[in-house]
Amino acid sequence: MAPPTAITLRQPDDWHAHLRDGPMLQACAVHTARQFARAVIMPNLLPPVTTVAEAASYRERIRRAVPAGLAFEPLMTCYLTDGADPSELARGKREGVWVAAKLYPAHATTNSAHGVTSMERIAPALEAMEKAGMPLLVHGEVTDPEVDIFDREAVFLERVLAPLLQRHQGLKVVLEHITTREGVAFVEAGGARMGGTITPHHLSYNRNAIFKGGIRPHLYCLPIAKAEEHRLALRRAATTASQTQFFLGTDTAPHTADTKECACGCAGIFNAPVAMQVYAQIFAEEGALDRLEAFASLNGPRFYGLPVNEKRVTLLAAPLVAPERIDVANGDKSVVVFRPDTPVEWSY
């Protein structure tokens, strides 16, 4: 049978995106909006988005940054801190400003210094979320310096997330940007209350690629890529028809090149301009193009209780055409666009 020359599916959503703010937002929002109808917007700005008013204001800045003619809806999240206000969380959900709240363990990743230091300190907030039906989105890594960076996801699941789920049995949880086979198994065991997002870059390469020919800072993100066995587990989770708990989340996270290519480079990969093309390549390699729509367009809305998109989009079997960099701040800075080491033979 000849390979397909095109695939048409409902327009996908991105359930994990960083758009930043200011000049970076102006440069990056359009690339997410061109591919996705909606995106869950992560709140780790400086200062972080912790109130309903801040989230509503940020949502308007995003909408203004998206060019006319692109229908795009930002879905806002609350940045949880040790002092998170349960009533503010419930009000934001009730008023349709927040769809979820994000748990960053303090100092786990970019702009997470204000994150949570103890699950006990946010117990009242989690109880309010549980009652309101507001999902908890989790950056699942411990920050204990004694734990190897490649083990931090698995240790977090055992030490932190499993006890949290036991204490809050009605809470819906998304394990974001899964990177390990342990993460896959944890989501699978959690039933309908658990979801998991998977990025295009974690599906594309393992940790060896970061050091191929020298340090490659534009492949460095957190959680960091793991060994090949884990990448293969992610591919199975994303492309298996029965796995409705897993859905698309790019974790697109732009940083200017000078902040990546330095003595202490930032963690994050900007994949928004190429995300669906890379996902299509991965599903084609796995012989699972017929399952791409479920992963990209159906499983996420089902978990969040939102309608699926009616608009259809088409990807063509043609070599990837995308910029290598995008300019920021009138060309004074640039952001490098993600590319896998292997060819991408899809366009969008």
Side-chain angles (χ1 to χ4, degrees):
M1 180 182 297
T5 59
I7 178 172
T8 298
L9 63 156
R10 290 178 184 268
Q11 187 174 15
D13 303 301
D14 185 352
W15 299 98
H16 188 124
H18 298 269
L19 299 185
R20 311 303 190 201
D21 210 347
M24 188 72 86
L25 171 64
Q26 298 301 318
C28 293
V30 61
H31 297 282
T32 291
R34 282 174 179 160
Q35 297 222 354
F36 302 104
R38 297 170 289 200
V40 168
I41 309 302
M42 293 300 148
N44 55 330
L45 305 183
L46 289 176
V49 179
T50 60
T51 69
V52 176
E54 289 166 350
S57 176
Y58 184 30
R59 181 172 61 185
E60 289 310 305
R61 295 197 299 277
I62 294 170
R63 288 172 172 166
R64 290 195 300 268
V66 173
L70 287 177
F72 175 72
E73 182 59 24
L75 304 175
M76 310 310 292
T77 58
C78 174
Y79 185 115
L80 289 178
T81 66
D82 285 349
D85 182 352
S87 62
E88 185 81 349
L89 284 161
R91 181 171 76 88
K93 179 66 164 63
R94 185 173 61 251
E95 294 179 0
V97 177
W98 282 324
V99 299
K102 181 67 184 289
L103 169 61
Y104 291 103
H107 306 290
T109 189
T110 301
N111 296 344
S112 61
H114 298 277
V116 174
T117 63
S118 165
M119 296 305 111
E120 286 72 24
R121 293 183 176 180
I122 62 168
L126 296 178
E127 290 169 5
M129 292 171 58
E130 193 172 352
K131 291 176 183 177
M134 185 176 183
L136 174 69
L137 315 183
V138 177
H139 181 112
E141 292 188 287
V142 296
T143 56
D144 182 347
E146 299 301 315
V147 177
D148 188 283
I149 191 170
F150 295 106
D151 297 331
R152 289 178 184 175
E153 181 171 290
V155 172
F156 180 90
L157 301 176
E158 178 183 353
R159 289 185 185 176
V160 181
L161 194 52
L164 185 151
L165 291 176
Q166 185 62 34
R167 290 193 300 269
H168 301 277
Q169 298 196 14
L171 187 66
K172 295 186 74 172
V173 175
V174 179
L175 184 59
E176 300 289 349
H177 39 52
I178 300 171
T179 62
T180 62
R181 64 181 183 182
E182 290 88 353
V184 169
F186 192 94
V187 172
E188 290 173 338
R193 67 181 293 202
M194 281 292 305
T197 58
I198 306 177
T199 77
H201 45 281
H202 287 120
L203 291 167
S204 297
Y205 65 87
N206 62 37
R207 64 190 183 189
N208 287 343
I210 304 171
F211 310 102
K212 182 180 177 182
I215 297 293
R216 304 172 72 191
H218 296 289
L219 296 184
Y220 169 56
C221 64
L222 289 173
I224 197 166
K226 307 299 194 299
E228 179 68 357
E229 64 183 298
H230 299 292
R231 186 181 76 96
L232 296 178
L234 298 179
R235 284 197 167 213
R236 287 191 293 271
T239 62
T240 299
S242 60
Q243 300 285 34
T244 60
Q245 293 166 269
F246 299 97
F247 38 91
L248 186 156
T250 66
D251 193 22
T252 187
H255 295 277
T256 56
D258 61 305
T259 65
K260 296 281 290 178
E261 301 166 0
C262 60
C264 189
C266 294
I269 289 174
F270 180 57
N271 58 40
V274 300
M276 282 306 301
Q277 300 94 309
V278 175
Y279 281 121
Q281 180 67 36
I282 289 157
F283 275 71
E285 290 169 359
E286 297 294 324
L289 275 174
D290 60 320
R291 301 166 200 160
L292 178 59
E293 183 176 57
F295 176 80
S297 312
L298 305 179
N299 294 348
R302 182 185 297 114
F303 181 88
Y304 278 88
L306 295 172
V308 299
N309 300 313
E310 293 301 324
K311 180 182 176 181
R312 263 66 175 183
V313 296
T314 299
L315 292 105
L316 301 176
L320 173 68
V321 177
E324 294 185 2
R325 294 173 180 253
I326 63 163
D327 290 335
V328 180
N330 297 318
D332 290 341
K333 304 280 188 178
S334 67
V335 179
V336 174
V337 178
F338 170 66
R339 286 289 201 288
D341 285 338
T342 52
V344 177
E345 300 295 339
W346 291 87
S347 64
Y348 184 33

